[in-house]
Amino acid sequence: MSNVCVFDHPLIQHKLSILRDEKTSVKEFRELVSEIAMLMCYEATRDLPLEEVDVKTPVAVAKCRRIAGKKLAVVPILRAGLGMVDGMVSMMPNVKVGHIGLFRDPETKLPVKYYFKMPADIAERDVIVVDPMLATGGSASAAITFLKEVGVKHIKLMSIIGAPEGVKKMQEDHPDVDIFVAALDDHLNDHAYIVPGLGDAGDRIFGTK
Ligand code: PRP
Ligand code: URA
């Protein structure tokens, strides 16, 4: 069964409390999503392999460790996942970025795919899928299925808020995928929105409501 890691770091929890607030402006919301993604990235990449290198300082040679050429990609689920990309890229400037476009049909609540563009060598890369909301889990599960279909073997999912229903679906469909969230909320309402959640992440990032 996949590992679920809930980040309880005070900086993340503080920023999340402002993010949830209905009075938070679009500008601040967008900045907070990016900052939380950056902080979560720090922890979600903890297992990256390192290699020893010698670095000549002005004084002597220091035995140092650098990331061992791991091929990574960040894949946001459009739209809301886009808000998390900057934060990840600021930590990993050379990371490749693929995009999966999905929206939730308001009637069926099922994901509808409208875009899929990956780096050419995506099958050789470890992938971190980012989407602020893991609600029913339909979007994340479908996105990960599409990635597996093109040969990706190692995938992590990073969301800001998860619902128990979404975690359960992910664990059923993709038990090999580790899940990172800043909070696990209570339940979904009748519209499949996370309670208490933060509302519609895409609308709040892009100011579309
Ligand atoms: C939101 C969110 C996830 C999805 C989560 O996107 O960003 O992708 O819903 O719900 P699920 O777990 O029930 O699938 P939405 O479909 O609203 O599209 P948007 O990002 O374009 O606003
Ligand atoms: N998508 C969102 O943006 N918010 C939710 O609470 C559920 C799905």
Side-chain angles (χ1 to χ4, degrees):
M1 183 161 290
S2 50
N3 231 356
V4 183
C5 175
V6 183
F7 293 117
D8 58 359
H9 193 288
L11 286 176
I12 295 178
Q13 293 306 312
H14 178 82
K15 287 177 190 296
L16 179 57
S17 76
I18 307 170
L19 194 70
R20 288 185 191 271
D21 191 329
E22 63 179 3
K23 294 197 219 70
T24 295
S25 69
V26 169
K27 174 180 181 287
E28 206 180 354
F29 191 91
R30 204 180 282 148
E31 288 166 358
L32 286 162
V33 167
S34 181
E35 288 166 5
I36 292 171
M38 185 170 72
L39 293 168
M40 291 180 78
C41 174
Y42 170 80
E43 196 56 39
T45 51
R46 181 173 280 287
D47 61 353
L48 282 179
L50 293 169
E51 63 188 3
E52 299 232 324
V53 288
D54 288 346
V55 174
K56 194 168 173 308
T57 78
V59 180
V61 172
K63 295 264 176 229
C64 298
R65 294 185 299 161
R66 284 192 182 151
I67 292 168
K70 190 78 180 172
K71 288 180 121 188
L72 272 182
V74 172
V75 174
I77 302 177
L78 309 183
R79 285 175 306 169
L82 282 176
M84 298 174 75
V85 173
D86 276 2
M88 306 285 289
V89 170
S90 65
M91 287 289 98
M92 305 184 292
N94 293 316
V95 79
K96 296 277 174 68
V97 182
H99 294 87
I100 299 181
L102 294 176
F103 67 86
R104 250 181 18 167
D105 183 297
E107 298 300 323
T108 65
K109 314 285 186 296
L110 294 174
V112 180
K113 180 178 168 191
Y114 61 88
Y115 192 71
F116 188 84
K117 180 77 182 173
M118 292 298 137
D121 59 354
I122 191 69
E124 295 155 37
R125 292 181 177 271
D126 288 4
V127 170
I128 305 179
V129 173
V130 294
D131 188 331
M133 309 306 276
L134 176 65
T136 64
S139 304
S141 176
I144 288 165
T145 299
F146 298 139
L147 288 169
K148 287 182 175 175
E149 282 170 0
V150 294
V152 181
K153 286 171 201 64
H154 299 112
I155 304 173
K156 291 176 181 171
L157 172 67
M158 225 172 85
S159 291
I160 296 180
I161 302 181
E165 294 87 337
V167 170
K168 182 165 176 282
K169 176 155 182 68
M170 278 294 302
Q171 289 180 328
E172 284 165 4
D173 295 356
H174 301 290
D176 55 310
V177 173
D178 289 340
I179 303 167
F180 299 88
V181 290
L184 252 189
D185 274 11
D186 201 56
H187 65 281
L188 298 178
N189 67 16
D190 293 345
H191 303 286
Y193 271 76
I194 300 176
V195 181
L198 50 70
D200 189 304
D203 282 342
R204 295 195 67 184
I205 291 170
F206 296 106
T208 41
K209 219 168 224 170

